Amino acid sequence: CSFLLVGVACVPLAWKNLDDNVFFQWVAIIGLCVLGAVWTAFLVQRPGFPDLKALPVYHASPAVMQELLGVLLFNFALMAALPSWANEK
């Protein structure tokens, strides 16, 4: 149901040029920043944060890190390239 709601909200914006949607882009960025700040505040208030034993920073197997690095780089590359590509179309 929520996926359908997001789709209905985004379809009208997808028909316009990115230059016409600048206001909505600003709203989205501000919303993302507020959401990140709220999430970080809730996380820091948890007792025992950060639990370094539960989430190791370094993994002994390089194969695990290679898979993770590829996914992370693809995620950032795709999110940076899609809006500019769509604007050129």
Side-chain angles (χ1 to χ4, degrees):
C1 181
S2 61
F3 183 72
L4 184 64
L5 183 65
V6 169
V8 167
C10 290
V11 165
L13 298 175
W15 289 104
K16 294 182 179 183
N17 193 354
L18 279 180
D19 295 337
D20 300 333
N21 290 331
V22 171
F23 172 75
F24 295 107
Q25 293 173 30
W26 276 105
V27 170
I29 291 296
I30 291 169
L32 180 65
C33 291
V34 168
L35 218 66
V38 168
W39 181 79
T40 303
F42 282 137
L43 186 64
V44 169
Q45 290 175 358
R46 285 190 65 209
F49 174 80
D51 187 8
L52 298 178
K53 294 177 185 170
L55 185 62
V57 176
Y58 173 75
H59 199 278
S61 172
V64 173
M65 296 305 286
Q66 287 175 350
E67 293 175 9
L68 179 65
L69 186 63
V71 171
L72 287 174
L73 287 178
F74 177 72
N75 181 25
F76 284 118
L78 184 65
M79 291 303 112
L82 265 180
S84 61
W85 175 77
N87 200 22
E88 290 296 322
K89 288 267 179 183

